């Protein structure tokens, strides 16, 4: 497999440059790991003994027209791009850390030094590209065996590895989630022991890893590990607060953390949309604050949809998640996630469907996916009943949308027209009239058409 991969022209070229410059040169890191796992990867990591930047300059020159070179002086790395090709070059280095920062002191080192500073054994594998090392696998920490056994383990003492750079704790959990690997016991214990060190990592870097967990095939793997290590409480306490079951008079409620992860895994089988997955993760986030035992009803979580929706901007701001469309989308999903369920429990009326379409707009399909994923009961009959009801809701949504086009509702008569017709200045009454027209349409009293809206308006509001 390695020999076949190395036949690609880019690797021949790297080998020639390495020989010409007389610099030991190896493929390393994620690229080698993913090659051995037969996973697709784009960015090619290369380590050389000597200056990675000088090496990259030569490679860019040899690639010729269309190749671009970017040098990151502070890190001593360089990136070369051409078309689909993306290469990262680094000069082999030795690192030493101090306690307050994840930015190490760096000095030149050997290829072995560079393998020692890598985070996991599976990321320290290297393949030689010089003619005397061509195609040979350098594997000082038995990373190949860990790949086969699906194990994540640090090359050196994990306590030092994680304390040096606590981002690695999240990387470990992210790889476990992405690849479906196990974190070796000692390595995991060191994550738990060093969890507080996560505080020196920037929000942006934490988020990059969280999003990779979110987008993995079964994101619950990552979140369960975050919870078990104690990191979840530090990163996303609102989710951590959903854990557990309280008993009262022999009645327990479901564990909302476990339920949330089921919903997340279910939605992950349906969509790769990062924000819909975030909506699934946070859909019940209001439940911890709204939990209440009522003598007649048992455990209740009244208004957890609205309370949860209100929490979303705070969570997004704190975590440096994007505050624009993604935040608004997630907030809307959280706020509306009970609506189709409530709707499907009752007789499904046209006006309720119209209102749902109006509130969800173009996100109605995402909302329906979320609601279907939200049914995690183990009672087969109940699940069947819910899913059937959802089919009715979906059918109704379709016929009503075809008829009334509510999805992207535009007021059939604008505020300006209303002001003109009634000779009004901008005032509250204009809004009231618009609202009355909207309500009449959503309630099915009049069709979503201009003439009908005009007649309705003239009948209900008189010119002074
Ligand atoms: P992916 O590209 O899928 O995110 P990756 O392992 O390739 O995963 P990169 O960030 O591209 O991750 O890093 C490339 C390589 O650099 C890694 O495989 C690893 O060897 C090394 N590396 C990256 N980050 C760290 C770190 N925080 N500590 C030690 N080594 C690291
Ligand atoms: Mg990579």
């Amino acid at each position: 497999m390695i020999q076949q991969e190395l036949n690609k022209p880019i690797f021949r070229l790297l080998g020639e440059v390495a020989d010409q410059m007389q610099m030991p040169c190896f493929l390393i890191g994620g690229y080698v790991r993913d090659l051995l796992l037969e996973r697709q990867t784009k960015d090619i990591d290369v380590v050389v003994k000597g200056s990675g930047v000088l090496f990259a300059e030569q490679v860019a020159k040899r690639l010729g027209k269309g190749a671009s070179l970017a040098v990151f002086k502070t890190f001593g790395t360089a990136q070369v791009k051409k078309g689909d090709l993306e290469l990262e070059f680094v000069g082999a280095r030795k690192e030493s850390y101090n306690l307050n920062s994840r930015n190490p002191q760096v000095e030149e080192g050997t290829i072995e030094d560079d393998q020692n500073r890598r985070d996991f054994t599976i990321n320290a594998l290297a393949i030689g590209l010089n003619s005397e090392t061509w195609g040979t696998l350098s594997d000082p920490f038995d990373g190949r065996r860990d790949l086969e056994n699906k194990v994540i383990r640090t090359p050196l003492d994990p306590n030092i590895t994680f304390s040096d750079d606590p981002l690695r704790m999240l990387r470990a959990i992210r790889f476990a989630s992405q690849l479906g690997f196990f974190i070796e016991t000692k390595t995991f214990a060191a994550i738990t022991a060093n969890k507080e060190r996560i505080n020196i990592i920037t929000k942006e870097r934490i988020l990059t890893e969280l999003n990779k967990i979110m987008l993995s095939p079964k994101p619950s793997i990552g979140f369960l590990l975050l919870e078990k290590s104690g990191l979840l409480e530090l990163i996303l306490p609102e989710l951590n607060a959903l854990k557990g079951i309280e008993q009262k008079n022999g009645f327990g409620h479901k564990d909302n953390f476990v339920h949330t992860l089921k919903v997340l895994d279910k939605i992950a089988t349906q969509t790769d949309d990062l924000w819909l997955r975030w909506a699934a993760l946070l859909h019940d986030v209001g439940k911890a604050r709204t939990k209440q035992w009522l003598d007649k009803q048992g455990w209740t979580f009244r208004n957890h949809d609205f309370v949860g929706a209100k929490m979303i901007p705070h969570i997004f701001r704190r975590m440096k998640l994007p505050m624009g469309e993604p935040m608004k989308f997630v907030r809307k999903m959280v706020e509306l996630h009970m609506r189709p369920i409530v709707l499907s429990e009752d007789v499904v009326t046209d006006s309720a469907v119209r209102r749902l379409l109006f509130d969800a707009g173009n996100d109605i399909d995402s909302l329906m996916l979320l609601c279907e994923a939200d049914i995690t009961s183990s009672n087969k009959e109940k699940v069947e009943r819910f899913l059937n009801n959802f089919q009715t809701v979906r059918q109704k949504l379709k016929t009503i949308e075809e008829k009334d086009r509510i999805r992207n509702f535009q007021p059939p008569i604008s505020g300006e027209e209303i002001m003109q017709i009634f000779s009004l200045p901008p005032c509250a009454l204009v809004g009231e009239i618009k609202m009355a027209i909207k309500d009449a349409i959503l309630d099915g009293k009049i069709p979503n058409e201009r003439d009908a809206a005009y007649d309705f308006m003239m009948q209900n509001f008189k010119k002074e």
Side-chain angles (χ1 to χ4, degrees), residues 87 130 238 408 436 440:
L87 300 141
N130 300 74
E238 295 88 345
N408 286 311

Side-chain angles (χ1 to χ4, degrees), residues 28-31 33-34 39 41 43 45 88 95 97 102 117-120 122-124 161 165 167-168 171 174-175 178 209 212:
I28 193 158
Y31 195 79
R33 177 196 69 223
D34 290 343
R39 281 176 97 228
T41 21
D43 50 327
D45 306 308
E88 296 272 351
E95 293 181 343
Y97 286 82
R102 66 175 287 268
R117 74 166 180 94
R118 301 274 161 174
D119 49 3
F120 306 111
I122 59 169
N123 286 345
T161 304
D165 176 1
L167 182 69
R168 294 167 180 161
R171 282 176 54 90
R174 181 259 282 196
F175 286 124
Q178 266 182 336
E209 297 306 320
K212 287 185 179 175

Side-chain angles (χ1 to χ4, degrees), residues 305-321:
D305 36 3
F306 300 112
V307 171
K310 267 202 154 161
M311 292 165 71
I312 299 301
H314 298 283
I315 294 175
F316 267 59
R317 195 169 297 117
R318 190 191 68 232
M319 299 187 74
K320 298 239 159 85
L321 280 153

